[in-house]
Amino acid sequence: MLSFRAMPRAPTADSRFTEIEGHRPYLVRYALSQLRDPVLAEEAVQEALLAALEGIGKFDGRSTLRTWLTSILRFKVIDIQRRQVADRARVDIDEERLADEHEAWLDEMFDETGHWKSPPQAWNDPEAALEQRRFWMVFEMCLEGLPAAASRVFFKREVLGEDTPVICSEEKITSSNCWVILHRARIALRMCLERNWFGHEASHGR
Amino acid sequence: MADEVEDLSCRKASSLLSLACERPLDATELRALKMHLDECLMCTNFEQQLKFLHRCSEAFREG
């Protein structure tokens, strides 16, 4: 992480910088959901963060800092999308393989009688987790652990709240494949959160 | 009536719960799902977790 040792500094500028930097993982995820390409996503975030640092005086606190940063990033993303219009025809979700893989993946989650192999537990006071910084690190890690397409589709659907038909057409996939991707993402995320945060083992380790 | 309702497995029930986040379920699906949830604590937990994932994602956007 960042080190400020022995560096003379203006505390307000530094704390602003640290605060803005703290939103980077979210912003990268946002950019990835829109751009797919990690290099371009990184470029967009970098440009947005620089613009944010320069324009921090314009942040009036009427929205959250994250919302403000996202609105700057959105413009950077649109710029890059314009540059890569030709490239967007590329399809990177193989629809036929997806359907086969989905059944095979579910075979791993459920036994032959259709019961959960790793049964969902009751989570103790999940709302309280939302207030904890470490929970968000776990959440980001779990999102990061999803396959790229699943992570992108889940982010658009649940985080950005886009409608499924919009997502399907952006991703150029059928709605049933969109549902398949979302279903798998949800099961994978719930397992990851249970293993690393809500589960009995995870809470004893805290 | 009741014998017309398909007896759901957890595999199918969880898939309907996830589908319900995308489109309204029809009457048959709802009836079958409700019967399953009445007896299955694991899928009831899964249903709660889906709701939490939704709230959590919204909170993630706000930062």
Side-chain angles (χ1 to χ4, degrees):
Chain A
M1 285 298 284
L2 296 165
S3 152
F4 293 115
R5 72 200 131 84
M7 276 171 61
R9 61 187 193 268
T12 48
D14 262 3
S15 58
R16 276 296 191 197
F17 176 74
T18 312
E19 200 185 345
I20 288 178
E21 270 296 313
H23 293 278
R24 181 188 279 271
Y26 172 87
L27 297 171
V28 169
R29 203 118 299 285
Y30 175 92
L32 274 174
S33 82
Q34 308 297 309
L35 291 167
R36 303 182 180 200
D37 182 331
V39 176
L40 290 177
E42 195 57 48
E43 186 186 318
V45 170
Q46 201 60 34
E47 286 179 13
L49 290 179
L50 279 174
L53 279 170
E54 282 170 15
I56 189 71
K58 289 182 216 145
F59 174 58
D60 57 13
R62 272 189 296 182
S63 59
T64 62
L65 181 60
R66 176 165 294 182
T67 305
W68 184 71
L69 292 170
T70 308
S71 65
I72 296 173
L73 177 58
R74 194 163 63 229
F75 287 110
K76 302 293 175 191
V77 163
I78 291 170
D79 276 351
I80 292 177
Q81 277 171 342
R82 286 201 187 112
R83 278 187 259 147
Q84 53 153 196
V85 173
D87 196 40
R88 290 188 76 206
R90 181 176 54 103
V91 177
D92 72 348
I93 296 174
D94 181 339
E95 296 227 54
E96 278 180 41
R97 241 187 60 213
L98 187 74
D100 291 344
E101 273 183 11
H102 182 57
E103 289 308 312
W105 188 83
L106 286 177
D107 287 343
E108 298 297 311
M109 295 298 122
F110 298 92
D111 65 21
E112 57 282 359
T113 59
H115 287 94
W116 295 92
K117 279 188 186 170
S118 161
Q121 302 168 16
W123 290 353
N124 182 33
D125 197 6
E127 299 301 322
L130 302 179
E131 305 302 322
Q132 297 191 49
R133 237 178 85 83
R134 279 198 52 232
F135 170 77
W136 291 108
M137 290 164 69
V138 170
F139 184 71
E140 280 168 15
M141 179 197 80
C142 290
L143 270 181
E144 180 74 34
L146 295 177
S151 179
R152 200 167 64 225
V153 172
F154 181 86
F155 193 93
K156 285 180 181 176
R157 178 71 187 115
E158 295 283 17
V159 180
L160 301 180
E162 284 183 16
D163 288 332
T164 321
V166 174
I167 302 172
C168 298
S169 87
E170 280 175 4
E171 297 286 334
K172 300 185 174 60
I173 51 177
T174 61
S175 53
S176 73
N177 274 334
C178 209
W179 296 338
V180 159
I181 292 174
L182 284 165
H183 183 44
R184 274 177 63 168
R186 292 183 179 119
I187 290 186
L189 279 176
R190 74 131 224 105
M191 279 180 74
C192 182
L193 290 179
E194 192 160 284
R195 190 170 297 148
N196 294 290
W197 189 266
F198 290 111
H200 296 306
E201 280 175 48
S203 23
H204 285 308
R206 281 210 298 278
Chain B
M1 274 301 271
D3 53 358
E4 286 171 19
V5 173
E6 186 194 353
D7 202 7
L8 291 186
S9 63
C10 295
R11 181 168 173 155
K12 183 84 175 95
S14 65
S15 156
L16 281 179
L17 283 169
S18 195
L19 189 57
C21 306
E22 310 311 325
R23 66 154 171 83
L25 300 182
D26 67 33
T28 317
E29 289 168 333
L30 274 177
R31 205 162 51 224
L33 185 58
K34 187 175 181 312
M35 274 184 61
H36 182 87
L37 289 178
D38 281 346
E39 296 185 352
C40 181
L41 185 60
M42 294 175 281
C43 287
T44 306
N45 288 340
F46 181 65
E47 183 186 29
Q48 292 304 313
Q49 293 172 7
L50 287 184
K51 287 179 184 160
F52 175 73
L53 274 180
H54 183 68
R55 282 198 303 280
C56 176
S57 300
E58 281 181 344
F60 188 50
R61 181 181 60 226
E62 295 301 317

